[in-house]
Amino acid sequence: MAAQLKSPEGNSLETRTKEDTYGAKTRLSEQAWADRTAPGCASKSETSGVLPHLDLISQVSSEGSSTRLELPPAGSERHSWQADSPSAARHIVRERSHLLTLLDKNTGPAQQELNRDRLSAFEVRARKNCLSQEEVSDTYQQISRILKTSGDRPLTPPEKWQLAQEVIANCADPTIISQGRNPTCNVTAIESRLYALHPSRAANLLAQVAESGSYVTAGGVKVKLGALDLRPGWDETLGDPQHNHRTYATQLFNLAAINVWYSAMEPGYRYQRYAKADGNIYEGLVELKATGVHPVKEADGTIVEGPRLDDDRMAFINQAIVGHKDPFAVLHLSDIGHLPAPGERVSPVRAMDIQDEEHLNLVLNRLKTQHQLPAIAGVTTAAEPLFTDIRGGLNGNPGGHVVNVVDYQSGKQPHVSLDNEWSTAKDHLDNSVKLHDLFECMGDTNTLKLHSAIASQQARLHGTSDPAAELTELRARFTFNDKRNYLNDATAVVAGNAQRERQLKGEDRNQWLKALAGVLTTLEVAQRVPFLKTVHESKVCTNAEFSNLMGWGRASLRASRHHEPTAAANRDFSEFLTSLPPALQSGCIARMRQLVWQ
């Protein structure tokens, strides 16, 4: 029985979503800013009727137990255009004109036109998303600060110009921001959200860095960047976030933002760029000792990858940069498969603790109506659709990741749009995903295992088999654990469900094929050919489907060369390929060539 949602007064709750129909693409004049409130933005006199009195609600289960769920307070919609004074619109025009004058000094006609288009796109987005006019003019002021700094220290004139251009591009479209090849999805998600909701704060951070090489938060936390931190890396010189290259602006933001946490809470550590004995420049977490800077290592001696920022630390960093309390910036799903030890804290202090899928639905619905999206969510790439986004493990092993929830669509089957910090090709904006799938992705692997097991068990209880759910449950159970029984269990599922698998059609079949490829690419290298043999002998795939699966298998062997011996596996794969019928063999070879070189 579904949980019944009630307010503290005992009233049943209804959810409504305001439709934002503002879609103008023209440049905004001074009068356009002052004319009217953008649809969906609240005026000072307006109080939302959505989920009234729902700062805290009671979730009453069918068993009678009650859980208190927190939501953003009603009536906290973002800024009203009508509340701005007429002088605010004139201030935007003045600051925009001043910024363009600075930009035009070193640019040709094509770049000048691009700058004007980007500023217009920013102003259209600002009005649509209910950013105040002061926020827009303050953003222009901060970008101008970057360009007005004199000399070539700490940044050179070309670096300042590049930085300003990238900040403008980020203001126009925050979803283009990419972490590149760096394990900094956490602070990159914070950066993208800041440009969406508080662009002047992101620009202020970079203006301070451009002026002094350091950043001081509103609360007084000071971060000093090193000489190597301030120089753009190889990726950053390309400045192409849409193809997963981190920009110079994101490099500086990443390094400053991460060290807001370490400067404030763990001053013996820093996340920085440093030179190793081989002459190459690395970026990572280091410990500051009297003997020098030492990369932080795991217990097995390997160097720690990433800045080690959990949901609470991300919320701390975001709040420090924003300059005020921002409790719904980071959404945290507790590990429901974890039993806390005596005295252990399992709920976050600063991040929003999501209790269940319905709570997530209510929170996102409220944030959408109040124009407070994006919201940051920690996820695991072991679940779909993110598992497909890493090409079934070919672009890295499944693990923790961070995304932004940029939109929410209500209905019987709610959907969300996700901004993935890998590249625009990995975003889920127009191709939104089910809210349920986002919930499956949130939390850690214990949560994923439990969710997958429940789905598989429910199918069995209803007297139906769900081959995709069973394979997903297997992958969740074995991906991060001992894989000795993985092959036996996987082949048993495929062979045992063969009749049902042959009958799958449409979306059910697509999900099963994804699950099949997911198991294949997470098996041990030596186990992949035996698994492929079982699939082939069970006659559950068409020739085209099996060719695609073989392509994934071959590509996964190539991806494994860096950390596993594959000579025997390559030999086994070649022998199996030559044993296939000629027509199927040709299809497999064609697909393998496509996937291996993608």
Side-chain angles (χ1 to χ4, degrees):
M1 178 178 177
Q4 180 185 7
L5 295 175
K6 294 185 176 181
S7 69
E9 295 80 10
N11 302 321
S12 60
L13 303 174
E14 296 181 358
T15 61
R16 294 186 289 113
T17 301
K18 294 181 181 178
E19 294 298 328
D20 186 350
T21 58
Y22 187 81
K25 297 297 183 183
T26 56
R27 294 178 181 170
L28 299 178
S29 64
E30 175 182 339
Q31 186 60 35
W33 285 95
D35 275 348
R36 63 182 178 85
T37 301
C41 301
S43 67
K44 282 189 174 179
S45 61
E46 178 184 0
T47 301
S48 171
V50 180
L51 295 175
H53 314 299
L54 258 181
D55 301 341
L56 283 172
I57 64 174
S58 296
Q59 185 182 56
V60 184
S61 70
S62 57
E63 292 79 18
S65 60
S66 178
T67 302
R68 302 289 276 178
L69 304 181
E70 187 177 357
L71 291 177
S76 61
E77 285 81 354
R78 291 178 61 78
H79 187 80
S80 161
W81 298 111
Q82 294 172 347
D84 281 333
S85 65
S87 63
R90 292 194 293 272
H91 196 200
I92 287 179
V93 175
R94 183 169 62 251
E95 291 300 331
R96 184 204 305 132
S97 177
H98 179 55
L99 173 58
L100 287 171
T101 299
L102 293 171
L103 288 166
D104 289 350
K105 288 181 179 179
N106 300 306
T107 56
Q111 186 63 49
Q112 290 174 9
E113 182 67 14
L114 179 60
N115 289 335
R116 283 159 175 76
D117 287 343
R118 284 173 171 171
L119 294 184
S120 293
F122 170 46
E123 292 177 17
V124 169
R125 184 183 68 80
R127 186 174 180 186
K128 179 180 178 181
N129 293 356
C130 299
L131 272 65
S132 71
Q133 296 177 53
E134 286 85 357
E135 179 67 29
V136 174
S137 58
D138 287 350
T139 301
Y140 289 159
Q141 281 186 329
Q142 299 304 326
I143 302 173
S144 294
R145 283 176 62 189
I146 296 172
L147 295 168
K148 288 192 293 187
T149 55
S150 59
D152 59 359
R153 292 289 182 273
L155 306 186
T156 65
E159 288 169 348
K160 286 180 279 191
W161 186 86
Q162 179 185 351
L163 180 59
Q165 296 286 344
E166 291 172 353
V167 173
I168 292 170
N170 293 343
C171 287
D173 183 5
T175 65
I176 68 170
I177 297 171
S178 171
Q179 70 189 75
R181 298 178 294 173
N182 308 280
T184 53
C185 54
N186 30 48
V187 284
T188 306
I190 293 172
E191 178 191 17
S192 180
R193 182 178 183 273
L194 283 171
Y195 276 108
L197 300 179
H198 311 283
S200 68
R201 306 318 303 158
N204 170 265
L205 181 153
L206 296 171
Q208 289 192 46
V209 170
E211 290 175 337
S212 64
S214 60
Y215 170 63
V216 182
T217 70
V221 177
K222 183 172 182 178
V223 173
K224 179 72 175 176
L225 298 186
L228 288 176
D229 297 337
L230 296 168
R231 301 283 77 79
W234 181 83
D235 250 13
E236 291 73 18
T237 58
L238 298 174
D240 186 9
Q242 296 190 43
H243 292 88
N244 201 28
H245 295 292
R246 186 174 69 171
T247 63
Y248 184 39
T250 295
Q251 173 188 315
L252 295 177
F253 185 95
N254 280 177
L255 294 168
I258 292 168
N259 287 303
V260 165
W261 168 264
Y262 285 104
S263 295
M265 307 302 288
E266 298 183 68
Y269 295 88
R270 279 181 56 81
Y271 189 86
Q272 65 179 42
R273 288 161 58 81
Y274 59 93
K276 292 184 71 174
D278 60 8
N280 292 318
I281 304 299
Y282 292 82
E283 183 177 306
L285 189 62
V286 299
E287 187 174 4
L288 308 177
K289 297 182 178 180
T291 54
V293 172
H294 300 270
V296 177
K297 296 183 178 180
E298 303 282 6
D300 62 3
T302 58
I303 293 177
V304 166
E305 291 187 6
R308 283 186 166 175
L309 299 176
D310 60 14
D311 292 346
D312 256 359
R313 294 182 179 191
M314 285 190 288
F316 175 92
I317 292 168
N318 175 78
Q319 190 165 299
I321 297 173
V322 171
H324 58 74
K325 197 171 183 181
D326 198 8
F328 290 86
V330 181
L331 308 180
H332 170 86
L333 178 64
S334 297
D335 177 5
I336 58 178
H338 173 69
L339 296 176
E344 180 184 359
R345 178 178 63 81
V346 295
S347 296
V349 174
R350 302 175 190 89
M352 178 62 216
D353 197 20
I354 298 297
Q355 299 296 321
D356 54 28
E357 187 173 340
E358 183 58 28
H359 186 207
L360 177 64
N361 185 37
L362 289 168
V363 167
L364 292 178
N365 183 56
R366 176 68 70 81
L367 292 176
K368 168 69 179 285
T369 61
Q370 296 177 350
H371 292 269
Q372 294 189 55
L373 291 176
I376 298 166
V379 294
T380 173
T381 60
E384 293 293 358
L386 298 175
F387 186 71
T388 295
D389 289 344
I390 59 170
R391 298 179 68 215
L394 303 188
N395 289 0
N397 293 324
H401 187 46
V402 181
V403 298
N404 266 306
V405 183
V406 298
D407 199 8
Y408 164 87
Q409 300 90 43
S410 61
K412 290 184 178 180
Q413 194 173 72
H415 278 66
V416 293
S417 298
L418 303 180
D419 175 24
N420 196 329
E421 314 313 326
W422 289 329
S423 70
T424 53
K426 303 298 183 182
D427 289 342
H428 290 269
L429 302 178
D430 296 330
N431 56 331
S432 61
V433 304
K434 297 174 185 176
L435 177 77
H436 175 73
D437 291 341
L438 171 63
F439 182 72
E440 292 285 290
C441 288
M442 293 176 67
D444 66 4
T445 54
N446 285 331
T447 306
L448 177 62
K449 291 174 194 173
L450 183 56
H451 292 171
S452 301
I454 290 172
S456 182
Q457 186 176 16
Q458 284 177 337
R460 294 191 195 101
L461 288 174
H462 286 86
T464 62
S465 63
D466 186 342
E470 290 188 36
L471 288 172
T472 301
E473 178 191 352
L474 273 178
R475 178 166 58 78
R477 182 152 35 102
F478 284 102
T479 296
F480 300 96
N481 296 294
D482 189 341
K483 297 186 178 183
R484 281 176 293 184
N485 296 321
Y486 193 7
L487 175 63
N488 291 338
D489 288 3
T491 53
V493 168
V494 171
N497 288 327
Q499 183 175 353
R500 170 74 175 132
E501 289 162 346
R502 295 186 196 107
Q503 297 170 349
L504 293 173
K505 295 180 180 180
E507 184 58 25
D508 288 341
R509 187 160 193 84
N510 289 335
Q511 293 300 319
W512 172 71
L513 289 169
K514 281 185 180 181
L516 202 62
V519 169
L520 174 66
T521 56
T522 51
L523 284 163
E524 296 286 5
V525 168
Q527 297 174 330
R528 293 173 192 174
V529 169
F531 180 71
L532 285 166
K533 287 181 178 178
T534 298
V535 174
H536 177 59
E537 291 167 358
S538 299
K539 296 181 173 58
V540 292
C541 292
T542 65
N543 280 2
E545 291 168 347
F546 190 74
S547 295
N548 187 59
L549 198 63
M550 285 285 285
W552 281 102
R554 184 66 186 88
S556 67
L557 292 181
R558 178 184 172 86
S560 302
R561 285 179 181 171
H562 299 293
H563 52 84
E564 292 185 61
T566 59
N570 281 328
R571 183 184 64 248
D572 292 345
F573 194 92
S574 298
E575 290 176 354
F576 175 56
L577 178 63
T578 56
S579 72
L580 297 175
L584 179 56
Q585 191 179 132
S586 298
C588 292
I589 291 172
R591 187 59 179 142
M592 286 189 303
R593 286 173 177 165
Q594 288 178 333
L595 282 172
V596 166
W597 296 109
Q598 273 185 1

